[in-house]
Amino acid sequence: MTDKYCVIGHPVAHSKSPEIHAAYAAQTGQDIRYERCLAPLDGFAETVQRLVAEGYRGANVTVPFKLEAARLATRLNERARAAGAVNTLVFAHGEIVGDNTDGPGLMADITRNAGVPIRGRRVLLLGAGGAARGALLPFVQEAPREIVIANRTVPTAEALVHDFAQVAGRHGVRLGAAGFDTVDGSFDIVVNATSSSLAGDLPPVPPGIFGPGALALDMMYGNQPTVFMDFAARHGAAVRDGLGMLVEQAAEAFAIWRGVRPDTAQVLRAMRP
């Protein structure tokens, strides 16, 4: 029998997830159906309960429901608890289990697809919202030398440093907070976890943040490079958008659901315009 999955969002028509998961299913011989599911802004919980009742095995969750998904889940794993947000749900044995594969997807894109090691490096994370929070634990677990969180409001970044100080200490990672315009020094990896690219804006960071051979990655993606990517490229950085992260986080979710990990390289090549 075909197992059913979907991505829940509002809006959701733009989502590339059905194409990605269809490719993974064909590659691995898994019998699944994966759809887009538009949930009313005030009806996320009801939508999930309907999917459970209809026999769905799981779902991905996209904006604006990731925080609500964390509250709805009957159980959260470690990275979902750390992120405070859920992008992957598993429906099994009467439970709704919440996971977050965004951070692992980002790590895989940086280390495997871009070929950039994180261990011992200096990392700058722009933004202190949900996307940054979701990336922080996986980043710490890769054991960079230092992670600086830069944000427009410094106390928000400082709160994030406080929340992750203990786990960072266990991994020997130094955490720091700064404002966009007070970032000190250069970095090996710079990740734009803000939503500024959606509006064509740029976090007001100094151009000196990009060290020699730096990688600059924007979590947003589109047919053209983002403003942040253009800025980084002008100042000597290698640049990536968030498409690789999307493909990799989908592979992590697929592995959770199906117990088999697909090959992401061929799917990422096919997804590139």
Side-chain angles (χ1 to χ4, degrees), residues 11-273:
V12 77
H14 67 286
S15 175
K16 297 180 184 293
S17 293
E19 289 82 1
I20 294 171
H21 282 276
Y24 288 160
Q27 180 193 117
T28 59
Q30 296 289 305
D31 185 11
I32 72 166
R33 189 175 83 225
Y34 188 107
E35 307 160 335
R36 297 175 182 88
C37 180
L38 178 67
L41 290 175
D42 60 351
F44 174 75
E46 291 79 2
T47 299
V48 171
Q49 296 299 340
R50 175 179 61 79
L51 294 173
V52 172
E54 292 177 0
Y56 281 71
R57 300 287 299 276
N60 285 131
V61 181
T62 187
V63 293
F65 299 123
K66 291 184 180 183
L67 298 180
E68 191 172 350
R71 295 191 295 269
L72 180 67
T74 57
R75 180 161 56 90
L76 299 175
N77 70 5
E78 181 188 14
R79 58 195 182 194
R81 286 196 303 272
V86 161
N87 80 330
T88 301
L89 295 171
V90 179
F91 309 141
H93 311 299
E95 282 198 294
I96 300 174
V97 182
D99 203 336
N100 192 307
T101 67
D102 285 335
L106 177 62
M107 299 307 107
D109 190 48
I110 292 173
T111 60
R112 185 161 60 241
N113 298 334
V116 174
I118 297 172
R119 178 175 293 273
R121 301 299 182 94
R122 194 167 190 240
V123 175
L124 177 61
L125 195 56
L126 302 178
R133 177 175 284 274
L136 199 45
L137 178 62
F139 253 131
V140 165
Q141 291 171 333
E142 292 288 332
R145 181 173 80 255
E146 181 182 14
I147 302 173
V148 174
I149 304 162
N151 197 51
R152 195 175 305 276
T153 53
V154 179
T156 306
E158 290 173 337
L160 209 50
V161 169
H162 176 269
D163 289 348
F164 285 84
Q166 191 171 19
V167 67
R170 290 200 300 269
H171 286 82
V173 179
R174 190 163 63 248
L175 286 185
F180 285 140
D181 56 352
T182 60
V183 177
D184 182 37
S186 62
F187 297 82
D188 304 297
I189 301 168
V190 181
V191 175
N192 182 18
T194 75
S195 59
S196 59
S197 293
L198 293 175
D201 294 331
L202 179 72
V205 291
I209 61 174
F210 305 108
L215 172 69
L217 186 147
D218 197 326
M219 287 190 179
M220 302 297 112
Y221 65 90
N223 292 334
Q224 300 297 326
T226 66
V227 174
F228 171 77
M229 292 168 65
D230 285 338
F231 173 74
R234 287 199 307 272
H235 294 95
V239 298
R240 293 184 70 81
D241 65 8
L243 183 60
M245 174 182 171
L246 174 71
V247 170
E248 294 292 347
Q249 67 80 25
E252 182 76 9
F254 191 91
I256 290 167
W257 291 329
R258 309 304 298 176
V260 59
R261 183 170 296 278
D263 176 16
T264 58
Q266 59 179 273
V267 176
L268 183 56
R269 284 194 298 270
M271 295 294 294
R272 283 286 176 201

